[in-house]
């Protein structure tokens, strides 16, 4: 997921979100520094919790808004608009990162005890199997011949 916003000078900015919590504010110590007199030094924070991103107002003077609603804490979804002071952020999913999200979900399911084969069956279970217009050919594995035991000669150490 990423945050996109436009600085006051018109520069388009993007900030990639990860598992590490971030802060937004006008302080140089903030992870995303915005130059806006209506923003607090450390205005709000965004963090990943239980697979979802949340924004939390950090006792700012002018509040944090998600989709024009003042919030203390709010779960974010792709397309949400976050207003901090006079800066409007858009919270968007990076289409190239969707495989990473799917992998994270699969790892979570495996951590809960679901097996890899079960997950794969669920993924492909809804897909139709392709039909073949030709004859079905059955391939059998070749039978193996029992092998004779191997004899190993040992030497006695010479004196």
């Amino acid at each position: 997921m990423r945050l996109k916003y436009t600085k006051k000078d018109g520069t388009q900015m993007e900030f990639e979100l990860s598992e590490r919590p971030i802060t937004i504010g006008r302080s140089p110590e903030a992870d995303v520094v915005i130059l806006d007199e209506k923003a607090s030094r450390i205005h709000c924070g965004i963090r990943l919790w239980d697979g979802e991103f949340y924004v939390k107002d950090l006792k700012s003077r002018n509040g944090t808004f998600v989709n024009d609603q003042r919030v203390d804490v709010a779960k974010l979804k792709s397309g949400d608009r976050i207003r901090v002071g006079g800066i409007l952020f858009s919270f968007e999913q990076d289409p190239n990162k969707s495989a990473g999200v799917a992998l994270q979900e699969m790892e979570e399911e495996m951590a809960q005890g679901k097996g890899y084969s079960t997950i794969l069956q669920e993924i492909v279970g809804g897909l139709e199997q392709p039909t073949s217009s030709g004859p079905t050919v059955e391939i059998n594995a070749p039978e193996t011949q029992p092998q004779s035991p191997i004899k190993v000669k040992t030497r006695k150490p010479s004196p």
Side-chain angles (χ1 to χ4, degrees), residues 23-24 76 98 102 107 133:
T23 55
I24 300 172
L76 298 172
S98 58
E107 287 173 351
S133 57

Side-chain angles (χ1 to χ4, degrees), residues 132-141:
S132 171
S133 57
T136 303
V137 178
E138 188 174 311
I139 301 173
N140 294 320

